[in-house]
Amino acid sequence: RESQSTAAQAQITAGWGGAQVLTGPVLVLPYVANVTRTETINGQDRTSVVRERRELFVAPSTQRIETTIAPDRKGYAIYESVVYDSAMSGTARFDWPAELARLDVDPASVLADQAQLRFGVSDPRGLKDGARVEVGGTALALQPGNGPAATGGAGFSAFLDWTARQPLAVAWRYGVRGSQSLALVPRGGETEWQVTSPWPHPSFGGSFLPDSREIGADGFTASYDGITN
């Protein structure tokens, strides 16, 4: 009976999306480092210096995220599961990293014109059309995949030019479907997250619990204020 229920759940979520873990935006700065390597050839050690491309991950200084969750019930045979359709929107501020030397990164080696914003969606089957990311009010071209490691590389990304090294104001929105649960991995100096839904029976878990919540017959609102990571 349990295996039949599990199989039914898999059928329901196959075209919809499973439990979702979301993260981002994370800004990635590629740079070139000199790496010393030693290898033994014919019994002799030979040392060489090679140029190696690496990535520096920059979290937002602050970010604010709003999520609305619309639940629904879907069935397969005699089984039923609750799924959801959610809308994500947010803003973030990125500041040029001030301590590159401490990170052993030569500022002159940073390829700021090849910077990239990455968003993570753990089950990309649930990612909907219409995603939009803006920097300073200008929309960026989005590409599928290449999400942060927290979501196994799934998600979407966008390239941008950060050679000005001035603070970046990022705004985004996208829709994602899923089932069972929705979780956010906070990445930033300070994260504020507000979640609203007409679902009257929520449960909360994870490393951070809401700072405030209101639950009633018409649904719930939960606020996470000043999450630091």
Side-chain angles (χ1 to χ4, degrees):
R1 186 79 174 185
E2 183 177 348
S3 63
Q4 291 177 340
S5 176
T6 302
Q9 294 289 334
Q11 287 290 336
I12 293 171
T13 61
W16 190 265
Q20 292 287 11
V21 177
L22 310 178
T23 189
V26 173
L27 200 151
V28 181
L29 280 174
Y31 67 97
V32 179
N34 292 325
V35 180
T36 301
R37 293 178 178 172
T38 301
E39 58 182 342
T40 302
I41 300 177
N42 297 327
Q44 294 184 341
D45 290 340
R46 294 187 179 180
T47 301
S48 60
V49 177
V50 297
R51 304 272 285 172
E52 186 176 275
R53 184 184 173 100
R54 295 182 175 180
E55 293 180 334
L56 176 66
F57 294 84
V58 181
S61 303
T62 59
Q63 65 173 336
R64 293 175 175 82
I65 303 170
E66 294 185 358
T67 302
T68 58
I69 303 173
D72 194 9
R73 295 182 183 272
K74 289 191 173 294
Y76 179 80
I78 62 172
Y79 301 96
E80 187 179 65
S81 180
V82 176
V83 298
Y84 60 81
D85 194 333
S86 68
M88 305 286 298
S89 63
T91 59
R93 173 190 168 105
F94 287 89
D95 294 299
W96 185 264
E99 300 183 356
L100 291 176
R102 184 177 62 84
L103 300 172
D104 199 25
V105 176
D106 179 3
S109 73
V110 177
L111 307 175
D113 61 329
Q114 301 175 33
Q116 187 179 49
L117 283 170
R118 296 180 183 176
F119 294 78
V121 178
S122 62
D123 189 344
R125 295 177 302 173
L127 190 60
K128 301 173 62 178
D129 293 336
R132 184 177 177 88
V133 177
E134 297 179 354
V135 172
T138 301
L140 303 181
L142 303 183
Q143 302 179 1
N146 208 21
T151 54
F156 60 95
S157 60
F159 286 102
L160 71 150
D161 188 335
W162 201 12
T163 51
R165 304 190 178 189
Q166 296 300 309
L168 293 178
V170 181
W172 75 91
R173 66 174 185 267
Y174 64 91
V176 65
R177 301 181 304 188
S179 59
Q180 302 175 44
S181 65
L182 185 149
L184 175 72
V185 180
R187 288 286 182 266
E190 183 176 297
T191 298
E192 296 180 5
W193 186 30
Q194 185 175 71
V195 186
T196 59
S197 174
W199 182 249
H201 308 295
S203 61
F204 304 95
S207 301
F208 302 95
L209 295 177
D211 294 279
S212 62
R213 68 184 82 172
E214 295 182 7
I215 304 173
D218 295 330
F220 76 90
T221 298
S223 295
Y224 300 76
D225 301 322
I227 302 172
T228 56
N229 190 47

